[in-house]
Amino acid sequence: MVDRIADIWGTRTPYARGERWPVRVDQTLAPGVAEGDVDRWVQSACVLCSNGCGCDIAVKDGRMVGIRGRQADIVNHGRLGPKGLFGSWQGVDTGDRLTRPLIRVDGELVETDWDTAMNRIVERSRHLLHTKGPLSHGFYTTGQLFLEEYYALGIIGKAGVGTPHMDGNTRLCTATAATAMKESFGSDGQPGSYVDIDECDAMFLFGHNMAETQTVLWMRVLDRLAGPNPPRLVCVDPRETPVARAAEVHLAVRPGTNLALMNGLIRELFVNGWIDDAYIAAHTLDVDRLRATVERWTPEAVAETCGVGADDVRRAAEIFGTSERILSTVLQGFYQSAQATASSCQVNNLHLLRGMLGKEGSGILQMNGQPTAQNNRECGADGDLPGFRNWENPQHVQELADLWDVDPDTIPHWAPPTHVMQIFRYVELGSIEFLWISATNPAVSMPQLERIRRILDTEGLFLVVQDLYLTEAARYADVVLPCAAWGEKTGTFTNVNHTVHLSDKAVEPPGEARSDLDVFLDYSRRMDFRTRSGAPLLDWTGPEDGFRAWQECTRGRPCDYTGISYERLRGGSGIPWPCNDENPDGTVRLYGDGVFPTDPDYCESYGHDLLTGAATGPVLYRATVQPGKAWLKSEDYRPPHEEPSEEYPLRYTTGRTVYQFHTRTKTGRSRALNRAAPGAWVEVSPADAEQLGIVEGDMVAVLSRRGHLEVPVRVGDLREGTVFAPFHYGYWDDGGSEGSASAHHAANELTMTEWDPVSKQPVFKNAAVRIEKVRDGAGPSPAPTTAASRPARAGHRAAGRTTGSGGGPGTVPATVGGPEGEATERFPDTAPPRVASSEERP
Amino acid sequence: MKLPVYLGLLHEAERILARSFRVVADGHGDEPDFHVILGTLAGQCDRHVEALEPVIVRFGSEVEGEEEHRVTADGVEEVRTGALGLLLDLQDLSVLVHHLDVMWTMVGQAAAGSRDRELLDIVVRCAPDADLQSRWLQTRMKQAAPQVLLVAS
């Protein structure tokens, strides 16, 4: 048994470059359940981060009682992370699930039956469509549903209701990944693969605390680092994360200055000739503009702006310039920061300049935040058209109209689908009066929460929320629909490196809860949405019908699913798309041939100006594109719009901790996970703590122009002048809503309503704040000691008052799981799985 | 030679546009994206004003007597209210931007005709911003128009 709360990444299985990652099978079973007691194992994949680990769910007497990694799966080779082990079935098999629909009666939510709840929705929906038209409707979904559910929602919104106001919380986590790929390559679609970790000799992690956000992927890196010829690591992060500690070069940039650093790294490639001129000429456009854009960003200029060492910039650039196989990963440190798209495009540009793309060990992983974010992007339940189609291309709209047998004019395509921040603005202004939220919790996860709460409470808004639990957002709803969770329904989903998994239904949902798919299909039936020939718009009887319909939608598109079926997904490993007649085993890496989907008739987007988000438009795009070549998009650095001032002298940034996910709807209900990170905190550097006269555990107020928090302090290792708060903590489990029963502690009380002009992803990672001490602490803060939030290493008089000793990190008890945090590890003597493709070397 | 007249009008029009962007940014501060992007666009205009200084020193700027004939002389001095007001204010901004776009084109023509390298460089540097400003306004207005014209109260 291993305590996988204390030992997040488990036992090392070192391996060398070019070998395959060894198998390790991780498993937990409910207390008192032995392996022999399990009735059956049901195939699935984990939904507690974007990694997409294949797993099997143990079922006994109709209940989920355990989980085990699938050793044959190409993603995880048998492993699972702490959230998967302790928060998957444990996070949904609880006593407080929603089991009956709720409707608002005299201001209170009361239980009702499905007929009454759905009729209430349909009545309001019909009335508004009749009196105000489709623009009165908005749909805000998630990164947690299954592919079939998104596609149903996409069809309902676009071909049934006909509204452009559809988005997902993927806007908050992964919009910039998709946008950066559209801008650089012409379409969404991940160039790299996890298997590149096995092959690379350098890794760059840009704003990506992989050790906590994708623990299993980090295990793969740790095992390379523990083996012969480990990859050289470069980390860009203002905090001293586990990634930073393992890195050869750690660039602890000031929040909000990523683009200055990226421009400096690109400049070093040019200046030192670390570029592949032949590749650039054959496969890219606009190199001269890129060169001009970065010209002023000498290492010294970068050092000045970003607060890092000029020599560290040179060392990082040299590693990029001279390594033979480089894998880059990018996540929220870039996506949720200022100039998000421009910074992320520069990562693409680094690889394009060196021609290091789509080859063994050389690739890019523009990461996702959520398990099924990719499907939302593919299926068009967010700000995209299904199958990576281009809303500005009439032929693409016609294809969808033909698939769905509707008039092309029904499908909104006069402007891009409306992003969620704008949807909420329309709600605020009263022009959207019907908002349907599925499986997401904006009352905690969106920026500037005081404003979001006010909007959800808008007079005249009809709010539908479907979820597992009565979330903070559901408390504002007029109708609440209880839905089935992971393990209680069947469907497919796709991870960061476009590997598709099937998740089979293991048990029945509690009470009257239904799958999200059944809810959407029911709404479509009751609304009587029909095709041009009079047939029901959605005549699917279950998820597999939806999958088949989706296959047709993807035929010939970059995300081609036509060679994948439920049958093929059962039994073995997940399969990476495109999988079709040409690539029957799927495709591991994209763009190995240097041909990019920029052809104007094929591309997903005609692109944007990175400074303003102004659309390029079809005319200018067609006049300038050279089909097949990638765009070297660039933009100069500009300071963030809110910088520290005398009144608010500190830079505030937010993020995840390893034990929690999102707004803790599942992980907060897992005893093992929640005990490891039970409450909110704020991290302050030793120097700032000293200056503020605060020590570990002291209660402080953190104030921005938009709100305040009252949380205990963790004195930790992050750059001076920067403070960090985890964004998971809301109000559902502290006896009140939005802080009425306790002090504010949701990180987004402080964040700004500002977004990247291109990806429209909110800027969660930069705000100006000040800190004031409220009272002495009674003990250390609840922040975990195991990862980025661990106490500062030295030089700090932590908790001296309470312990009476000299204090120091040793006074904060180590985070452990105890018996509830135990899992088994097995090391079967078996060959690691090979990726399901002929690209793999034998 | 009438080039100084055009340079003077251009110089002034950039200042008017900068001010107008800021008036709309502040007046519609509840539209979260406006404040940021219109501020950026106003900054572009500031830089154009600066960029024109050396040629204005060289050629002069004689705008007397031209003022009263101009439809774009005042710019946006105050914003309208409401969703429709927002769209109309953006429309006014696009008129000003288009006016400038044409003006840069004319000055560019004169610069080409006179083979004036300094002026040509300024035009090459600044003129694309007017096109970008115009495209941003188009992008934003096209998105807003159906909501404003069909459902907003």
Side-chain angles (χ1 to χ4, degrees):
Chain A
M1 286 286 189
V2 180
D3 183 335
R4 290 290 305 281
I5 295 292
D7 185 0
I8 296 168
W9 306 286
T11 305
R12 296 280 59 77
T13 53
Y15 69 119
R17 191 179 91 163
E19 293 177 5
R20 278 293 158 267
W21 190 28
V23 167
R24 183 187 93 194
V25 179
D26 298 348
Q27 176 177 311
T28 49
L29 290 171
V33 175
E35 195 152 343
D37 300 335
V38 174
D39 295 338
R40 59 202 171 95
W41 292 88
V42 179
Q43 185 175 349
S44 180
C46 182
V47 290
L48 285 158
C49 82
S50 61
N51 204 52
C53 297
C55 63
D56 291 311
I57 304 169
V59 178
K60 176 178 163 45
D61 302 331
R63 292 185 72 174
M64 295 190 273
V65 293
I67 189 167
R68 162 174 89 194
R70 286 179 66 81
Q71 68 180 54
D73 199 90
I74 58 171
V75 169
N76 53 320
H77 297 211
R79 287 164 190 75
L80 291 171
K83 286 196 285 282
L85 288 168
F86 308 119
S88 51
W89 53 277
Q90 302 93 326
V92 299
D93 186 18
T94 64
D96 61 338
R97 284 280 298 277
L98 291 167
T99 55
R100 296 196 69 199
L102 308 174
I103 55 170
R104 196 165 290 279
V105 177
D106 299 329
E108 297 295 316
L109 285 171
V110 298
E111 288 195 353
T112 187
D113 56 68
W114 276 95
D115 239 11
T116 309
M118 290 306 291
N119 282 340
R120 191 171 273 214
I121 294 170
V122 167
E123 189 185 323
R124 178 58 78 98
S125 187
R126 277 178 187 274
H127 173 73
L128 280 169
L129 286 180
H130 182 67
T131 55
K132 297 212 152 184
L135 298 175
S136 60
H137 281 51
F139 293 87
Y140 182 44
T141 187
T142 180
Q144 305 280 324
L145 300 186
F146 290 158
L147 179 159
E148 297 80 358
E149 296 171 323
Y150 293 127
Y151 189 44
L153 182 59
I155 295 174
I156 286 170
K158 287 170 170 63
V161 175
T163 179
H165 306 322
M166 303 192 79
D167 204 359
N169 67 11
T170 48
R171 183 69 63 184
L172 316 181
C173 77
T174 184
T176 304
T179 303
M181 292 191 277
K182 287 186 232 180
E183 295 295 329
S184 296
F185 311 132
S187 172
D188 195 344
Q190 192 70 265
S193 167
Y194 297 166
V195 79
D196 289 324
I197 294 174
D198 305 357
E199 305 279 352
C200 67
D201 58 18
M203 277 190 75
F204 279 65
L205 289 92
F206 295 101
H208 182 194
N209 182 8
M210 184 195 285
E212 294 192 63
T213 57
Q214 283 87 12
T215 53
V216 173
L217 204 56
W218 183 242
M219 293 172 204
R220 198 164 183 158
V221 177
L222 286 176
D223 286 343
R224 272 295 315 274
L225 291 174
N229 52 49
R232 302 175 78 182
L233 231 60
V234 176
C235 167
V236 179
D237 199 311
R239 298 166 78 206
E240 201 181 295
T241 61
V243 177
R245 270 168 252 149
E248 179 179 337
V249 181
H250 174 206
L251 297 160
V253 295
R254 289 192 183 102
T257 64
N258 294 328
L259 186 55
L261 172 70
M262 295 311 297
N263 287 353
L265 292 177
I266 296 267
R267 182 181 180 277
E268 286 297 290
L269 293 196
F270 280 123
V271 167
N272 293 287
W274 293 321
I275 57 173
D276 183 338
D277 287 309
Y279 188 92
I280 293 169
H283 301 297
T284 72
L285 274 178
D286 280 351
V287 69
D288 291 337
R289 184 180 162 179
L290 175 62
R291 198 191 299 265
T293 303
V294 302
E295 197 184 326
R296 75 181 173 106
W297 290 104
T298 62
E300 284 69 26
V302 173
E304 170 81 21
T305 297
C306 303
V308 297
D311 284 342
D312 286 340
V313 177
R314 286 196 182 88
R315 282 169 64 207
E318 189 187 350
I319 293 172
F320 201 99
T322 58
S323 297
E324 284 166 23
R325 297 168 171 193
I326 305 161
L327 176 65
S328 291
T329 69
V330 195
L331 196 58
Q332 313 305 3
F334 272 39
Y335 299 162
Q336 296 179 341
S337 196
Q339 296 184 284
T341 302
S343 306
S344 304
C345 282
Q346 287 293 44
V347 178
N348 297 342
N349 292 344
L350 282 170
H351 284 262
L352 288 168
L353 288 175
R354 292 214 59 209
M356 286 208 176
L357 205 61
K359 297 187 269 197
E360 282 178 353
S362 294
I364 302 164
L365 293 169
Q366 297 275 3
M367 300 296 293
N368 304 347
Q370 296 181 76
T372 75
Q374 187 63 45
N375 303 110
N376 200 352
R377 278 149 53 180
E378 293 166 3
C379 295
D382 67 348
D384 296 300
L385 290 191
F388 296 160
R389 286 180 174 81
N390 183 351
W391 65 270
E392 288 188 282
N393 182 336
Q395 188 52 44
H396 285 192
V397 177
Q398 183 66 51
E399 286 168 16
L400 291 176
D402 292 343
L403 269 169
W404 300 336
D405 187 23
V406 297
D407 189 320
D409 289 346
T410 309
I411 303 168
H413 61 283
W414 54 81
T418 314
H419 61 97
V420 65
M421 301 297 287
Q422 190 66 44
I423 290 176
F424 271 62
R425 177 66 183 148
Y426 288 151
V427 173
E428 187 177 21
L429 290 169
S431 65
I432 288 180
E433 294 180 66
F434 178 100
L435 181 64
W436 189 328
I437 295 174
S438 40
T440 185
N441 187 14
V444 179
S445 58
M446 282 182 63
Q448 202 177 343
L449 288 180
E450 182 278 324
R451 173 176 180 267
I452 296 300
R453 287 189 290 263
R454 188 160 36 77
I455 291 172
L456 290 172
D457 212 18
T458 301
E459 177 89 34
L461 172 67
F462 186 82
L463 182 66
V464 180
V465 172
Q466 66 189 55
D467 213 306
L468 309 180
Y469 296 103
L470 193 67
T471 60
E472 288 87 337
R475 293 172 198 276
Y476 292 90
D478 295 282
V479 178
V480 179
L481 303 174
C483 280
W486 170 90
E488 300 166 357
K489 60 182 183 179
T490 293
T492 53
F493 61 95
T494 306
N495 75 347
V496 170
N497 66 344
H498 44 91
T499 302
V500 186
H501 285 104
L502 177 71
S503 181
D504 261 323
K505 178 173 173 174
V507 298
E508 290 299 325
E512 296 175 24
R514 292 180 182 174
S515 77
D516 298 85
L517 179 64
D518 285 344
V519 175
F520 294 141
L521 295 177
D522 188 28
Y523 171 70
S524 184
R525 264 193 309 272
R526 288 173 193 260
M527 291 296 287
D528 200 26
F529 292 133
R530 292 193 174 266
T531 66
R532 264 195 298 212
S533 46
L537 179 65
L538 278 172
D539 59 357
W540 311 348
T541 56
E544 196 159 3
D545 286 348
F547 188 83
R548 290 195 195 101
W550 172 243
Q551 288 182 289
E552 280 316 303
C553 186
T554 62
R555 190 177 290 281
R557 295 301 299 161
C559 53
D560 196 326
Y561 280 69
T562 51
I564 304 175
S565 63
Y566 275 25
E567 200 188 332
R568 276 196 73 184
L569 291 172
R570 283 199 177 102
S573 168
I575 300 172
W577 61 244
C579 179
N580 48 20
D581 292 344
E582 256 173 86
N583 311 286
D585 296 325
T587 308
V588 178
R589 301 178 186 89
L590 306 181
Y591 315 137
D593 55 2
V595 177
F596 298 92
T598 47
D599 187 303
D601 295 325
Y602 187 70
C603 68
E604 185 182 7
S605 170
Y606 295 138
H608 300 82
D609 171 59
L610 298 188
L611 173 65
T612 61
T616 304
V619 177
L620 182 56
Y621 186 85
R622 284 180 185 275
T624 49
V625 70
Q626 292 181 27
K629 289 188 179 180
W631 298 95
L632 292 166
K633 288 251 176 160
S634 60
E635 188 53 54
D636 201 1
Y637 165 77
R638 282 176 173 73
H641 297 106
E642 188 169 283
E643 291 227 89
S645 62
E646 207 168 304
E647 196 181 352
Y648 300 102
L650 299 166
R651 287 176 199 260
Y652 177 73
T653 184
T654 66
R656 285 180 182 164
T657 184
V658 63
Y659 303 109
Q660 301 286 5
F661 194 51
H662 284 194
T663 63
R664 300 163 59 246
T665 41
K666 289 179 184 170
T667 52
R669 288 172 167 91
S670 151
R671 280 173 54 92
L673 294 172
N674 206 49
R675 271 187 16 201
W681 69 89
V682 62
E683 285 168 37
V684 176
S685 74
D688 290 322
E690 183 85 37
Q691 213 208 326
L692 290 159
I694 51 177
V695 298
E696 170 70 34
D698 279 352
M699 190 61 83
V700 296
V702 189
L703 302 97
S704 81
R705 291 179 177 85
R706 295 156 292 277
H708 70 278
L709 305 179
E710 197 175 304
V711 287
V713 164
R714 162 59 41 90
V715 179
D717 285 321
L718 69 171
R719 62 167 298 137
E720 193 179 336
T722 296
V723 300
F724 169 91
F727 66 66
H728 310 286
Y729 299 92
Y731 306 103
W732 59 264
D733 55 344
D734 68 356
S737 59
E738 70 267 5
S740 59
S742 65
H744 276 185
H745 51 243
N748 283 317
E749 303 288 352
L750 308 186
T751 46
M752 290 189 289
T753 301
E754 184 190 338
W755 53 81
D756 181 74
V758 192
S759 70
K760 320 295 188 205
Q761 186 157 351
V763 180
F764 286 109
K765 292 204 186 281
N766 186 58
V769 299
R770 74 166 178 275
I771 289 185
E772 293 169 2
K773 181 170 170 177
V774 175
R775 59 178 180 274
D776 285 349
S781 73
T785 62
T786 44
S789 60
R790 63 128 169 62
R793 270 179 298 202
H796 181 65
R797 46 187 186 89
R801 271 186 318 271
T802 51
T803 62
S805 72
T811 62
V812 178
T815 302
V816 293
E820 285 171 344
E822 285 184 341
T824 58
E825 293 177 339
R826 283 191 302 112
F827 303 89
D829 186 19
T830 175
R834 296 171 57 226
V835 289
S837 164
S838 51
E839 285 168 70
E840 180 92 2
R841 287 182 305 168
Chain B
M1 166 155 126
K2 290 293 184 190
L3 180 59
V5 176
Y6 246 75
L7 288 177
L9 291 176
L10 178 59
H11 194 238
E12 198 179 306
E14 287 284 4
R15 276 186 303 180
I16 291 168
L17 181 60
R19 198 187 63 218
S20 301
F21 277 140
R22 293 195 168 100
V23 167
V24 177
D26 293 344
H28 293 288
D30 288 342
E31 297 297 332
D33 52 339
F34 274 35
H35 200 76
V36 169
I37 290 177
L38 290 179
T40 302
L41 301 185
Q44 290 180 335
C45 297
D46 294 342
R47 281 195 295 283
H48 300 168
V49 168
E50 216 173 288
L52 282 165
E53 304 288 352
V55 282
I56 285 188
V57 168
R58 191 146 60 81
F59 288 101
S61 60
E62 296 159 18
V63 291
E64 297 91 65
E66 311 291 332
E67 210 75 5
E68 62 270 26
H69 302 296
R70 292 168 50 203
V71 295
T72 51
D74 295 331
V76 180
E77 292 181 320
E78 56 182 302
V79 294
R80 304 169 176 91
T81 57
L84 181 63
L86 173 76
L87 191 62
L88 288 168
D89 286 337
L90 290 180
Q91 179 141 337
D92 285 351
L93 288 178
S94 15
V95 171
L96 296 174
V97 167
H98 184 64
H99 173 66
L100 264 170
D101 195 15
V102 176
M103 196 160 259
W104 278 109
T105 306
M106 297 307 111
V107 169
Q109 294 297 97
S114 66
R115 282 84 172 169
D116 189 309
R117 201 61 246 174
E118 186 185 26
L119 186 55
L120 268 173
D121 283 349
I122 295 170
V123 173
V124 166
R125 216 162 64 233
C126 299
D129 287 344
D131 176 59
L132 175 64
Q133 292 169 351
S134 171
R135 283 196 286 125
W136 183 79
L137 285 164
Q138 283 269 328
T139 302
R140 191 64 179 79
M141 290 170 70
K142 282 167 85 171
Q143 178 214 314
Q147 201 71 13
V148 171
L149 301 179
L150 299 175
V151 281
S153 46

